[in-house]
Amino acid sequence: MNKPTGDDDFEIELEVEVEAELRMSESSRPEEAAGRPLSEWLFDPADAEREDIGLRNLLSAVEELEADRRPRRRGADEGA
């Protein structure tokens, strides 16, 4: 099944956005915030961890979509 080029562009843009969000999430260092007094937290470290997990799952899904659309090569044992 062929998809319009617009879908490809959307998926590439989505992947770039998710990767940028992951970099921001990782740079926030939630593990350091957890060691500070609650009154100094700028965010809940548990929320940051849940967001990170969700972003990684979304990135995996986008990568899987891309992999599904790549042309598959026939192996030597698959016949002609």
Side-chain angles (χ1 to χ4, degrees):
M1 174 169 74
N2 293 331
K3 290 187 177 182
T5 305
D7 285 350
D8 293 342
D9 293 341
F10 172 77
E11 289 170 8
I12 291 168
E13 188 175 326
L14 178 61
E15 183 174 12
V16 168
E17 289 287 327
V18 172
E19 287 172 344
E21 287 288 330
L22 270 171
R23 283 191 299 276
M24 283 180 21
S25 175
E26 290 167 354
S27 70
S28 68
R29 299 188 204 130
E31 64 280 354
E32 289 179 12
R36 294 185 191 131
L38 183 62
S39 61
E40 293 180 15
W41 285 5
L42 299 176
F43 55 86
D44 185 338
D47 288 343
E49 186 175 345
R50 280 189 291 273
E51 181 177 350
D52 186 58
I53 291 167
L55 288 169
R56 289 182 189 285
N57 287 338
L58 182 56
L59 183 59
S60 294
V62 171
E63 290 170 348
E64 187 65 29
L65 281 173
E66 290 174 352
D68 284 348
R69 282 193 281 112
R70 287 187 200 124
R72 300 189 195 282
R73 295 185 191 179
R74 288 185 159 214
D77 60 338
E78 290 183 27

